[in-house]
Amino acid sequence: MPKKDTNLLNSVGLACDVLDALCELGSAGVTELADEIGCSKSTAHRQLRTLHSKEYLIKNGGQYQLGLKYIDMATRVRGQIDNYDVIRKEIESLAEETGETAQFATKEHGWVVYLYKTYGKNGVQTSSNVGTREYFHSTSLGKVMMAYMSNDRVGKIIDRHGLPVKTENTVPDRESLLEDLKKIRDRGYAIDDEENVIGLRCVAAPVIQDNRIMGAVSVSGPSRRMKGDRLNQEIPNVVTRTANIIELNSKFS
């Protein structure tokens, strides 16, 4: 476990817990929120009233929920992403070509973070959305980014977030993961073989610029379609090509 930082402000941390809880719950009253984050009702009430006064929350009756202010914040964050338009264009082309669900993700605070996602004509809905955070070890996007990190960096991510078992196919331990990452580096792409969600396979390739991992590109689809040569040749080829196009366009844009 990482060493606890004694310089953090507990009140700010609690406010973040409130926002995270409301993001998950959708809306909540004082009692429900206090139970969710493990604080007294009076503390939860003060937090909610403060965030409401600063216009980060809205209140409907006795229920609080996130306000529209976050739309403006999210739009501004997206504007800080280098070459977002290049990414969007190529991921849309990838979805159209494969007919499946195509995504681009990057890394932040030891998580895989989805930046863009779209659907081909046969694309299936998955649990991830733009902004969703996922574990590295159980996703093809995460594993392919991990494969180009140092072992020290990989170790820090594992120490921070662990290796939770998502399905019976999830990589079970550190040694198995490191072995898998070596194979991924050798072939240049990663496969999530129903390791995050049973019935769903995913193929991802890294986007690298100036020897730095910008992110990764992936295609996801039902296991009944993602198999054989399509899983091991066709999809890896188009995903790798898309990643290369993003690299080149980002370099010269």
Side-chain angles (χ1 to χ4, degrees), residues 23-77:
C23 187
E24 290 295 322
L25 296 171
S27 65
V30 174
T31 300
E32 182 182 4
L33 185 68
D35 291 341
E36 180 71 19
I37 65 176
C39 70
S40 68
K41 288 195 290 185
S42 61
T43 298
H45 188 236
R46 289 197 301 272
Q47 286 283 345
L48 290 167
R49 287 194 63 183
T50 301
L51 290 166
H52 181 261
S53 73
K54 292 296 185 180
E55 301 180 358
Y56 286 94
L57 303 181
I58 61 172
K59 184 180 180 183
N60 291 318
Q63 298 285 301
Y64 290 86
Q65 62 190 67
L66 302 182
L68 297 178
K69 191 171 187 176
Y70 294 97
I71 296 177
D72 178 53
M73 295 172 69
T75 301
R76 291 173 185 270
V77 171

Side-chain angles (χ1 to χ4, degrees), residues 148-190:
Y148 291 87
M149 297 177 189
S150 67
N151 285 344
D152 180 61
R153 178 60 182 148
V154 171
K156 288 179 179 178
I157 292 173
I158 296 172
D159 290 341
R160 181 170 185 174
H161 298 298
L163 296 171
V165 175
K166 303 296 289 293
T167 76
E168 61 189 20
N169 296 330
T170 305
V171 178
D173 53 59
R174 188 182 300 238
E175 292 72 24
S176 299
L177 177 60
L178 292 175
E179 183 178 339
D180 196 13
L181 296 181
K182 183 179 184 304
K183 294 176 182 177
I184 291 168
R185 280 194 299 273
D186 290 342
R187 69 183 180 219
Y189 65 90

Side-chain angles (χ1 to χ4, degrees), residues 9-252:
L9 291 173
N10 292 334
S11 59
V12 176
L14 189 57
C16 293
D17 291 342
V18 169
L19 297 176
D20 287 341
L22 289 176
C23 187
E24 290 295 322
L25 296 171
S27 65
V30 174
T31 300
E32 182 182 4
L33 185 68
D35 291 341
E36 180 71 19
I37 65 176
C39 70
S40 68
K41 288 195 290 185
S42 61
T43 298
H45 188 236
R46 289 197 301 272
Q47 286 283 345
L48 290 167
R49 287 194 63 183
T50 301
L51 290 166
H52 181 261
S53 73
K54 292 296 185 180
E55 301 180 358
Y56 286 94
L57 303 181
I58 61 172
K59 184 180 180 183
N60 291 318
Q63 298 285 301
Y64 290 86
Q65 62 190 67
L66 302 182
L68 297 178
K69 191 171 187 176
Y70 294 97
I71 296 177
D72 178 53
M73 295 172 69
T75 301
R76 291 173 185 270
V77 171
R78 190 180 70 181
Q80 297 171 8
I81 299 169
D82 292 338
N83 305 308
Y84 179 82
D85 289 339
V86 169
I87 292 168
R88 176 185 53 78
K89 177 183 175 183
E90 296 306 325
I91 297 302
E92 289 179 352
S93 295
L94 180 61
E96 182 178 0
E97 181 176 357
T98 61
E100 304 289 358
T101 303
Q103 296 130 145
F104 182 93
T106 188
K107 53 184 172 49
E108 186 177 77
H109 295 301
W111 296 101
V112 175
V113 183
Y114 291 81
L115 294 185
Y116 195 77
K117 178 179 182 179
T118 192
Y119 300 91
K121 63 180 180 180
N122 298 316
V124 296
Q125 294 282 345
T126 63
S127 60
S128 63
N129 294 298
V130 173
T132 296
R133 299 190 302 175
E134 275 285 3
Y135 291 100
F136 272 85
H137 70 288
S138 61
T139 62
S140 63
L141 287 160
K143 290 195 297 180
V144 85
M145 286 191 280
M146 259 189 170
Y148 291 87
M149 297 177 189
S150 67
N151 285 344
D152 180 61
R153 178 60 182 148
V154 171
K156 288 179 179 178
I157 292 173
I158 296 172
D159 290 341
R160 181 170 185 174
H161 298 298
L163 296 171
V165 175
K166 303 296 289 293
T167 76
E168 61 189 20
N169 296 330
T170 305
V171 178
D173 53 59
R174 188 182 300 238
E175 292 72 24
S176 299
L177 177 60
L178 292 175
E179 183 178 339
D180 196 13
L181 296 181
K182 183 179 184 304
K183 294 176 182 177
I184 291 168
R185 280 194 299 273
D186 290 342
R187 69 183 180 219
Y189 65 90
I191 295 177
D192 161 9
D193 188 9
E194 301 183 82
E195 296 163 50
N196 201 50
V197 177
I198 291 294
L200 191 73
R201 290 193 175 110
C202 187
V203 179
V207 176
I208 302 171
Q209 189 176 38
D210 299 326
N211 296 316
R212 179 178 66 87
I213 297 290
M214 283 179 56
V217 171
S218 75
V219 166
S220 300
S223 55
R224 67 179 183 275
R225 289 201 299 261
M226 299 278 282
K227 59 184 180 180
D229 288 344
R230 188 163 196 256
L231 177 67
N232 295 294
Q233 294 183 23
E234 178 186 336
I235 297 297
N237 286 342
V238 294
V239 167
T240 301
R241 187 185 71 221
T242 297
N244 289 340
I245 292 171
I246 292 174
E247 288 173 353
L248 289 171
N249 286 339
S250 297
K251 182 176 181 180
F252 294 109

